[in-house]
Amino acid sequence: MISFFKKLRSSGAKQQEVEQAPAAGEEHAELEKTEEVRPVMGLYFPKEFDSQFAQEDRYVMQFFLSELPEVAEGKLSIDGYKIGQDTTGLSLLAVLRNNMDADIALTRVPLVLQDAAQNTIARSVFDMSEAGVVPAHSAMPWRFVFPYSDFLVPQADLSSWSVGFHMENGEIRTQVSEFDFEPADQFSMSEYIEERDQQVIDEIKRAIEQTENQVNFIGTTVNYTEDGSLVAELFLRNGRSEEVALDKAMVFTLRDAAGDVVASRTLDMSQVKLSPKSVTRWTLTYDKDMQQKENPDLSEWLVEVEKK
């Protein structure tokens, strides 16, 4: 289960409500009807962010907070504020609002960036252990950089966009509770890499079990590179008891969740020989000129392989 955040401590006793007695002569005065004013969370700036925001910027961000939908009690929310692009990727300034009665220590946060049509542009897991805590009933800005290597599409319309938490079941939410994830002390990049490697091992085990006496091409990951190429990683599984030599002309066609052809290419695979009862990791690259569909839905995909 993905570690997300943990509750640290209570924010203290609730303030007492003080009932003021009416002034002399006002006992029978008629009460005026007043419009209910929704309280706006106070801004909290981490130490490294504090000097980056002038007073005017703070006023603008506070106004931005006042226009956001309310955060449910006991929830942590995320809202995108500004987005920019540089040589490393998309830099996203977001605001985290903690509407719990306790400070929240953030660990690793899985986020998804989406366009106006709710198509996923990029997804990443961010180490936020350096951010410290988000105080109870406070809003904290934080900058997230989505590297180009994490992009799922070659281009996107950012005239409208949103950011959300990526849940374990694939759901994307803008508000989560402390019960959605297990608490953890710290995020470890080495631990994250180990988990990803374990996922690959698990996939290999499943491939071995499901493809006995068969030769299969099993897709595992697909991503866009900085130059717009589409790179798919496959398992070449030989479930037979003898070595298998592949054919000279083989067509590899990538289809998205809608079943549409995203890209296709023909390769000479005659030099590839698969050992008996083996699984080989292999990378398939589609250059831009091989791609036939813009903004494909790669939440589900497959590679069809046939002889030419």
Side-chain angles (χ1 to χ4, degrees):
M1 188 173 284
I2 297 176
S3 305
F4 193 60
F5 59 78
K6 63 177 179 178
K7 196 174 185 179
L8 289 186
R9 58 178 175 79
S10 171
S11 60
K14 293 184 178 179
Q15 294 182 352
Q16 289 185 326
E17 295 182 1
V18 180
E19 184 178 347
Q20 292 184 338
E26 293 183 357
E27 288 86 349
H28 304 291
E30 217 176 277
L31 295 175
E32 294 182 2
K33 290 183 179 179
T34 57
E35 183 179 349
E36 184 180 351
V37 178
R38 177 167 63 88
V40 179
M41 288 183 178
L43 274 169
Y44 165 76
F45 291 86
K47 189 174 181 180
E48 61 186 77
F49 265 40
D50 197 38
S51 60
Q52 298 180 23
F53 288 84
Q55 193 62 44
E56 183 179 348
D57 296 328
R58 295 168 189 253
Y59 288 142
V60 174
M61 184 171 284
Q62 194 70 62
F63 176 76
F64 168 74
L65 289 177
S66 69
E67 297 294 303
L68 292 175
E70 289 189 59
V71 183
E73 187 176 347
K75 296 280 188 178
L76 176 76
S77 76
I78 186 167
D79 295 279
Y81 181 63
K82 286 183 180 178
I83 197 166
Q85 188 173 9
D86 57 28
T87 55
T88 59
L90 287 177
S91 177
L92 167 66
L93 181 61
V95 179
L96 295 155
R97 292 183 291 163
N98 174 17
N99 199 21
M100 299 184 188
D101 292 328
D103 299 347
I104 295 299
L106 297 167
T107 52
R108 54 178 178 178
V109 180
L111 296 181
V112 172
L113 179 64
Q114 294 186 307
D115 63 13
Q118 294 188 320
N119 295 317
T120 297
I121 300 169
R123 55 174 175 250
S124 294
V125 177
F126 296 92
D127 176 7
M128 291 197 64
S129 55
E130 294 182 1
V133 301
V134 186
H137 305 293
S138 297
M140 184 187 81
W142 191 257
R143 196 175 304 279
F144 302 92
V145 177
F146 287 87
Y148 289 118
S149 58
D150 288 345
F151 276 41
L152 302 179
V153 294
Q155 56 187 5
D157 178 9
L158 293 174
S159 58
S160 179
W161 54 275
S162 62
V163 63
F165 299 112
H166 194 193
M167 311 304 290
E168 268 197 321
N169 61 2
E171 187 181 354
I172 299 170
R173 300 183 194 170
T174 56
Q175 297 188 22
V176 294
S177 75
E178 62 179 316
F179 305 108
D180 292 323
F181 296 83
E182 285 183 348
D185 293 333
Q186 273 193 339
F187 168 79
S188 166
M189 183 57 73
S190 60
E191 175 190 336
Y192 176 58
I193 292 172
E194 286 175 8
E195 287 181 2
R196 292 194 62 177
D197 287 345
Q198 185 60 48
Q199 289 175 0
V200 171
I201 292 170
D202 292 342
E203 289 290 341
I204 291 175
K205 288 180 179 177
R206 279 193 287 272
I208 291 173
E209 293 170 358
Q210 297 171 5
T211 58
E212 196 68 23
N213 298 319
Q214 301 175 13
V215 176
N216 295 88
F217 298 78
I218 305 166
T220 58
T221 62
V222 62
N223 289 293
Y224 283 95
T225 61
E226 291 187 21
D227 64 2
S229 297
L230 188 56
V231 178
E233 186 175 89
L234 306 179
F235 289 153
L236 309 186
R237 164 61 174 161
N238 177 16
R240 298 177 182 174
S241 301
E242 65 275 358
E243 183 180 79
V244 171
L246 299 184
D247 294 284
K248 183 174 182 179
M250 302 186 72
V251 182
F252 294 80
T253 302
L254 175 65
R255 294 184 181 273
D256 66 2
D260 298 332
V261 174
V262 178
S264 186
R265 69 175 302 182
T266 302
L267 291 171
D268 180 357
M269 301 289 288
S270 58
Q271 300 302 312
V272 179
K273 292 179 173 51
L274 305 178
S275 301
K277 303 289 184 179
S278 68
V279 177
T280 303
R281 296 174 72 170
W282 185 67
T283 300
L284 175 63
T285 301
Y286 298 97
D287 297 331
K288 279 186 175 181
D289 57 357
M290 300 174 184
Q291 299 172 31
Q292 302 176 30
K293 182 179 180 180
E294 293 185 356
N295 302 324
D297 178 4
L298 295 175
S299 59
E300 293 184 11
W301 59 279
L302 61 85
V303 173
E304 292 180 343
V305 184
E306 58 184 349
K307 300 177 185 178
K308 191 169 181 179

